């Protein structure tokens, strides 16, 4: 099986070569699928990452959540951990960890039942996830288990198999522009 490092290298190259207009279009398709999900529609909170370096774009999803009257929180890296802060405007974001936009001057969110959008470098069809290598999401989700987790990825990020470990926390749903993979029994 391919190593996590080689998978990251390959996916980063795909992202680098992808046409920006295609990434935006595919992100919009993924966003539309999320907005139709009962998990999203029945939740008062959206926890999501701020996209960076050609990931699935989340800004339109955040704007749609605000329009739908939902509260939105995004992560901030604090040491080895990640904390979610509520934002009400993109003006509240500043370059943070690795220059990724992070909230500044915002309140910590205490919601434990949000729909959480999870990033990743690569996934397999069983929803195993190769992240960026720091373990922030696995650590966070290991102690915040009530969130409904939805990973998002472009089709080229989904592989037959990726390496995984017992401590990895699998997202319940994985959405690409063409497919939805669900945890068996998760509705």
């Amino acid at each position: 099986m391919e190593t996590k490092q080689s998978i990251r290298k390959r996916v980063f190259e795909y992202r680098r070569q992808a046409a920006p207009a295609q990434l935006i279009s595919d992100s919009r398709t993924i966003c539309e699928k999320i907005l139709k999900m009962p998990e999203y529609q029945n939740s008062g909170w959206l926890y999501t990452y701020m996209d960076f370096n050609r990931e699935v774009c989340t800004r339109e999803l955040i704007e749609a959540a605000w329009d739908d009257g939902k509260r939105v929180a995004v992560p901030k890296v604090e040491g080895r951990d990640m904390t979610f802060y509520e934002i009400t405007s993109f003006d509240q974001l500043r370059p943070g960890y690795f220059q990724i936009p992070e909230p500044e001057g915002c309140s910590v969110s205490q919601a434990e039942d949000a729909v959480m959008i999870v990033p990743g470098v690569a996934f397999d069809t069983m929803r195993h996830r190769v992240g960026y290598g720091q373990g922030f999401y696995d650590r966070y989700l290991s102690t915040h288990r009530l969130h409904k987790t939805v990973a998002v990825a472009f089709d080229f990020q989904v592989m037959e198999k990726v390496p995984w470990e017992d401590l990895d926390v699998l997202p319940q749903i994985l959405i690409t522009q063409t497919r939805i993979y669900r945890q068996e029994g998760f509705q």
Side-chain angles (χ1 to χ4, degrees), residues 41-133:
Q41 293 173 352
N42 295 329
S43 179
W45 279 91
L46 174 71
Y47 278 27
T48 186
Y49 67 93
M50 293 303 305
D51 62 89
F52 184 76
N53 198 21
R54 306 178 124 212
E55 293 176 302
V56 172
C57 304
T58 57
R59 286 184 180 252
E60 284 188 26
L61 179 61
I62 291 169
E63 289 170 341
W66 285 331
D67 289 346
D68 290 341
K70 298 189 185 301
R71 297 172 78 178
V72 175
V74 297
K76 180 174 186 159
V77 171
E78 299 173 330
R80 288 185 28 92
D81 294 314
M82 188 172 65
T83 304
F84 280 80
Y85 289 83
E86 183 174 6
I87 62 169
T88 55
S89 165
F90 293 122
D91 294 337
Q92 295 170 301
L93 301 172
R94 302 287 177 272
Y97 185 77
F98 279 97
Q99 299 301 304
I100 298 168
E102 291 185 338
E104 185 175 281
C106 301
S107 299
V108 173
S109 174
Q110 301 296 329
E112 289 293 334
D113 60 349
V115 168
M116 176 181 277
I117 307 302
V118 179
V121 176
F123 299 87
D124 64 22
T125 58
M126 297 302 295
R127 302 171 335 282
H128 295 112
R129 175 180 165 274
V130 173
Y132 290 88

Side-chain angles (χ1 to χ4, degrees), residues 123-175:
F123 299 87
D124 64 22
T125 58
M126 297 302 295
R127 302 171 335 282
H128 295 112
R129 175 180 165 274
V130 173
Y132 290 88
Q134 301 300 315
F136 293 118
Y137 278 87
D138 288 325
R139 275 193 301 281
Y140 181 86
L141 290 170
S142 71
T143 59
H144 300 271
R145 297 196 168 272
L146 297 180
H147 296 301
K148 293 166 188 70
T149 52
V150 181
V152 292
F154 300 115
D155 284 333
F156 63 76
Q157 293 176 262
V158 179
M159 303 170 181
E160 188 174 324
K161 284 191 173 193
V162 299
W164 58 278
E165 299 165 17
D166 288 338
L167 293 178
D168 293 347
V169 179
L170 274 65
Q172 294 151 331
I173 302 169
L174 168 61
I175 298 179

